[in-house]
Amino acid sequence: MTDRNQAIDDVTNRIQAIRSEVQRRIVGQEQVVDQVLACLLCDGNALLESTPGLGKTLLVRTLAEVTGLSFSRIQNTPDLMPSDVIGTEMVRETETGRTFTFEKGPVFANLVLSDEINRATPKTQSALLEAMEEGQVTAGNETYDLPEPFFVLATQNPIDQEGTYPLPEAQSDRFLMKILVDYPSAAAEREIVDRYTGDVDASVSVESKVSTRELRKMQQLTHQVPIADDLRDLAVDLVRDTRTAEDLEYGASPRASMSLVRAAKARALVEGRTHVGREDITAMAVPVLRHRVVVDFRAEREGLTPDDAIRALVEDR
């Protein structure tokens, strides 16, 4: 137990180093950074939602640099094809004749930014399903493993609905969390303006704080963070409550129960603790569940959101 606690303490120190390095470039958005870090520790995907101009792309690119992960970006548009994402077979002329070789697409990276994912057609969106769930892609008759670790951090704009294709529930469920990126505080916005409109060069270099191998070890230790039986039951009961809640038409599946426990373990590490507390379950309930439930027509007409319904369930517990 002592050795495990020491290992967990080492992980928390590394997390603090990653967080501090990210904050050298990202002003504010501490909660968003912590939730994305939790997704990385859980080996889970994240969906970031906000209006344009709030630094989502910069955050993802910075995380890739600080964690030493290979990075690629997919700019989704309605004319994007699945082969543009996973790759395609190419004919090559050699001395012995023509051969077929597989040209890997941008999905073959540790950290894939799928920008404005809801602008891609459902056919192209589905190209990421196998990658997000299985860590592999299939092209023709061949299956290709993706690099480890593998994350998809997708973004979408909630207010621009023209020319967009909402994510189907099956794909939304593949995201460990849906993270809402809000406007910065007044003080943070003033700092952003001063930093990026001044006379000096506003670019800030960041250093890699962990290797890919070290990150994999951190993920393994995240799974080992202890959680008491009553807190595990709390997570399960919260998810089960979504299936019978009066204001929800559809509840979350057992995948959500597993995701909530995993996210709570990661949050405990991010907060510098060696065990899961009740506050970890309640804090992660909304980002883990908000994209897995559907508010019924009556509640939606009254202005109730999934976040409101989930918070009410948490308060009842």
Side-chain angles (χ1 to χ4, degrees):
M1 175 65 85
T2 302
D3 291 341
R4 184 174 66 179
N5 284 347
Q6 181 60 50
I8 291 176
D9 286 339
D10 291 341
V11 171
T12 60
N13 291 334
R14 291 185 181 276
I15 293 171
Q16 299 309 317
I18 293 172
R19 176 198 272 164
S20 298
E21 196 70 10
V22 169
Q23 289 174 341
R24 294 184 63 229
R25 185 179 288 173
I26 304 297
V27 180
Q29 305 293 0
E30 290 85 0
Q31 185 179 61
V32 173
V33 172
D34 287 350
Q35 290 179 355
V36 173
L37 283 176
C39 287
L40 294 180
L41 289 173
C42 293
D43 197 12
N45 307 295
L47 177 62
L48 283 73
E49 182 175 281
S50 80
T51 53
L54 295 184
K56 300 185 296 296
T57 301
L58 179 62
L59 169 61
V60 177
R61 188 181 294 274
T62 301
L63 280 171
E65 294 180 33
V66 174
T67 55
L69 298 175
S70 60
F71 173 80
S72 68
R73 177 178 179 176
I74 301 170
Q75 186 62 53
N76 290 282
T77 56
D79 60 348
L80 192 73
M81 298 297 292
S83 59
D84 297 325
V85 175
I86 63 175
T88 186
E89 293 280 353
M90 301 290 290
V91 178
R92 299 290 187 187
E93 293 286 350
T94 65
E95 294 179 356
T96 58
R98 294 181 178 180
T99 61
F100 287 91
T101 58
F102 180 69
E103 293 289 335
K104 295 181 178 180
V107 76
F108 284 86
N110 295 125
L111 184 55
V112 178
L113 170 61
S114 185
D115 214 2
E116 295 187 289
I117 190 172
N118 56 335
R119 286 200 171 276
T121 62
K123 183 177 182 179
T124 302
Q125 290 175 5
S126 66
L128 286 172
L129 269 175
E130 183 183 12
M132 294 169 65
E133 187 66 17
E134 307 294 338
Q136 63 184 31
V137 296
T138 302
N141 297 322
E142 296 292 332
T143 299
Y144 302 90
D145 291 329
L146 295 170
E148 293 185 351
F150 174 77
F151 309 102
V152 173
L153 297 183
T155 70
Q156 66 178 12
N157 178 359
I159 62 173
D160 189 1
Q161 300 301 320
E162 184 175 352
T164 61
Y165 303 86
L167 289 176
E169 284 73 14
Q171 183 146 10
S172 293
D173 201 39
R174 263 62 175 189
F175 289 101
L176 180 72
M177 295 186 205
K178 180 179 179 181
I179 302 170
L180 304 186
V181 185
D182 203 353
Y183 292 106
S185 65
E189 190 162 354
R190 283 192 288 269
E191 183 177 346
I192 292 170
V193 171
D194 289 342
R195 178 180 297 183
Y196 291 99
T197 63
D199 294 333
V200 297
D201 185 5
S203 62
V204 177
S205 61
V206 293
E207 298 179 357
S208 175
K209 293 298 181 180
V210 294
S211 66
T212 301
R213 184 175 181 179
E214 290 169 336
L215 183 58
R216 293 296 288 172
K217 289 183 178 180
M218 291 168 66
Q219 292 172 339
Q220 294 170 2
L221 283 168
T222 300
H223 289 289
Q224 300 174 16
V225 173
I227 178 172
D229 290 347
D230 61 324
L231 294 179
R232 177 208 60 202
D233 293 343
L234 172 62
V236 172
D237 291 341
L238 277 174
V239 174
R240 293 181 63 86
D241 287 345
T242 64
R243 302 168 198 166
T244 57
E246 181 180 356
D247 296 321
L248 296 177
E249 185 173 359
Y250 297 107
S253 70
R255 181 184 281 140
S257 300
M258 294 184 290
S259 297
L260 183 52
V261 170
R262 290 164 56 202
K265 290 183 176 185
R267 184 182 186 274
L269 287 181
V270 171
E271 294 295 320
R273 287 181 279 103
T274 58
H275 63 278
V276 175
R278 182 183 179 90
E279 63 273 25
D280 299 315
I281 301 289
T282 57
M284 285 302 184
V286 172
V288 168
L289 296 176
R290 61 163 52 112
H291 57 298
R292 305 176 193 267
V293 300
V294 177
V295 177
D296 67 16
F297 176 75
R298 176 196 56 79
E300 186 176 13
R301 186 178 57 189
E302 294 175 358
L304 193 75
T305 66
D307 289 18
D308 296 328
I310 296 166
R311 290 191 183 101
L313 294 177
V314 171
E315 292 173 1
D316 288 343
R317 286 285 170 180

